[in-house]
Amino acid sequence: MSLTKRKTIGEVAFDILNNIGMLLICFVTLYPIWYVLINAFNDGKDAMLGGIYWWPRMFSLENFKAVFASPGIMTAMLLTVAKTLLGVVAHVFFTAMVAYAFSRRELIFGRFYIFLGTVTMIFSGGLIPTYLLIRDLHMLDTFTVFIIPVLFSFFDLIIFMTFFREIPDGLDEAARIDGANDWTIFLRVVLPVSMPVIATIALFHGVYQWNDYFTGIIYINKESLQPIQTFLYRVVAQSSSNIMTTAVQGSAVTKTVTSQSVKLATMVVTTLPIVFAYPFLQRYFVKGMMIGSIKG
């Protein structure tokens, strides 16, 4: 017969307060997203009256029609998708390749290289020297400015290196006995067993690439190379309270959208793709975040 320990009044009160606190944190975190969503799906002119807190008062898709009718937005969206995919693949492969070399105990001056890399995490050249370097490398107004400057991250290298050092040495030794060289071991042994850390770094860098607007502002003047987040930034910066009227075909009713409602709809359009990517990478993401936390 098993005996169950009864909780004291203090423990029950603590559990209740803890649950209430977690609910409040979830509400404070999620409600701003919900507020943006419901206002994006509400008629823009009606939303200016305020009072929309839980559900759209006048459901409308005109805001999203106005967003996709904006000149250049589809080009900006496709460019962002391309730079995110190519940037993630290039960043993960290059950083993993360097991290594999750093993870080898026999690397000459390995500790010195790690020290130099750690210094770069604390100090940087600054915006103006970086701009001059990008200019001298002829990457202004080119697609490569989204890829090459962020091809490598020492912080991501540390995560990769920690994971690689936890891979059993027996895999490496068995591959070398079979005649494999370092490239073969890296490509056919190390990378296939490193999916948790690869997915983690891919998620980190993918979110960065998708949300990056600063690169487009500083280094890009061509509208054809403007990513979606830069497009959104300029919509927000240049918008005014002017009401844009759009006629609904086949109806005598004229609905309106405002600059504010277009902003909210654009925020939804640019945020949803990266939000949908999280559930597919969450399992690997949790494993990757636990790298190095437990020894033995």
Side-chain angles (χ1 to χ4, degrees), residues 79-100:
L79 176 71
T80 305
V81 172
K83 83 182 187 73
T84 300
L85 295 177
L86 292 177
V88 166
V89 172
H91 177 84
V92 169
F93 180 80
F94 187 82
T95 305
M97 179 177 61
V98 179
Y100 174 69

Side-chain angles (χ1 to χ4, degrees), residues 240-261:
S240 62
S241 59
N242 296 329
I243 298 178
M244 300 171 288
T245 303
T246 58
V248 180
Q249 296 181 357
S251 174
V253 180
T254 300
K255 293 187 177 181
T256 58
V257 297
T258 65
S259 59
Q260 179 66 19
S261 64

Side-chain angles (χ1 to χ4, degrees), residues 15-55:
D15 291 341
I16 294 175
L17 292 176
N18 184 53
N19 292 331
I20 293 175
M22 293 300 297
L23 290 176
L24 288 176
I25 292 174
C26 291
F27 175 78
V28 172
T29 303
L30 297 178
Y31 181 74
I33 302 174
W34 177 249
Y35 181 82
V36 170
L37 190 64
I38 61 177
N39 279 274
F41 280 100
N42 196 85
D43 179 74
K45 189 175 182 179
D46 176 72
M48 293 181 65
L49 302 176
I52 302 174
Y53 303 111
W54 303 108
W55 197 254

